[in-house]
Amino acid sequence: MTEVAPWLVVGLGNPGREYAANRHNVGFMVAELLASRVGGKFGRHKRAVAEVAEGRLGFGGPKLILVKPLTYMNLSGAPVVALGQFFKVPVENVIAVHDELDVPYGDIRVKRGGGEGGHNGLRSMSKSLSSKEYARVRFGIGRPPGRQDPADFVLSDFSSTERKELEFLVDRAADVVAAVVQEGVEWAQNKYHGN
């Protein structure tokens, strides 16, 4: 039996304690939860400026390589390419988990390909991979209130009201990632969109 290609799950965020609770770092939060689910521990990788954790989804399930790039958001693509080559992951087995301004808070959407919607992490990944055909798990953070600059909004922490639901939503986003790996993007869309 041939080994199934592993999956590279990239949680997008910024390194450093000052960013840890930012809306922009929800990708890191989901990656950390997935690592705990598969029994992986994050450690610095020798081939990329990133922390990596490895594990399998269920007994004998697909191998997950969970990634937290440490390059800051707008340079996320380089470690993704380096790790994709190192672990021999095809682009169709790459999943980016990221915050999404165009999706209301509390909604999680999944798609393959498409534009970057002004998201610097996605822009960097698309450019470095020379492809947009990776999957995206889009964690809705909604639009900033009033006239707040979107750049300031994504780099601010979740509000106290949002934090009441955050743990549940991170858990749900991790479920969506698992569904994409095990069943595919379309199946995950049918199950999780509009719920």
Side-chain angles (χ1 to χ4, degrees):
M1 193 172 107
T2 56
E3 176 70 14
V4 178
W7 286 78
L8 200 67
V9 179
V10 184
L12 290 175
N14 287 310
R17 197 173 293 145
E18 69 272 32
Y19 299 108
N22 287 182
R23 291 178 176 90
H24 223 21
N25 268 44
V26 76
F28 276 19
M29 297 173 200
V30 175
E32 285 160 6
L33 177 60
L34 281 164
S36 70
R37 284 188 184 181
V38 301
K41 279 209 179 325
F42 277 101
R44 191 67 185 263
H45 199 271
K46 63 183 179 286
R47 292 285 176 95
V49 184
E51 286 191 353
V52 173
E54 297 177 52
R56 287 196 181 272
L57 259 185
F59 181 72
K63 183 175 182 179
L64 294 187
I65 296 108
L66 302 160
V67 182
K68 295 192 298 182
L70 299 178
T71 48
Y72 292 96
M73 188 65 86
N74 56 355
L75 299 172
S76 301
V80 172
V81 168
L83 291 166
Q85 289 169 346
F86 180 80
F87 288 106
K88 298 180 173 59
V89 179
V91 152
E92 58 271 18
N93 279 27
V94 175
I95 303 173
V97 184
H98 63 92
D99 59 303
E100 178 61 70
L101 286 161
D102 292 324
V103 173
Y105 184 73
D107 287 358
I108 294 160
R109 297 272 177 264
V110 61
K111 70 176 185 174
R112 180 175 297 285
E116 290 88 18
H119 196 291
N120 290 333
L122 293 178
R123 192 177 292 134
S124 176
M125 279 183 61
S126 296
K127 187 175 178 198
S128 297
L129 289 166
S130 300
S131 173
K132 297 182 179 195
E133 290 308 304
Y134 52 92
R136 298 103 186 272
V137 172
R138 305 157 72 211
F139 191 107
I141 60 169
R143 285 269 158 202
R147 294 171 179 245
Q148 187 179 5
D149 182 350
D152 294 336
F153 180 69
V154 299
L155 290 174
S156 62
D157 291 355
F158 286 100
S159 69
S160 55
T161 309
E162 289 169 333
R163 281 198 300 271
K164 290 179 180 137
E165 277 189 286
L166 186 59
E167 195 176 323
F168 164 76
L169 294 170
V170 167
D171 193 63
R172 187 181 177 93
D175 289 347
V176 173
V177 171
V180 170
V181 169
Q182 293 172 314
E183 308 289 347
V185 167
E186 209 171 299
W187 189 93
Q189 287 172 333
N190 290 334
K191 179 166 172 64
Y192 290 100
H193 288 196
N195 288 349

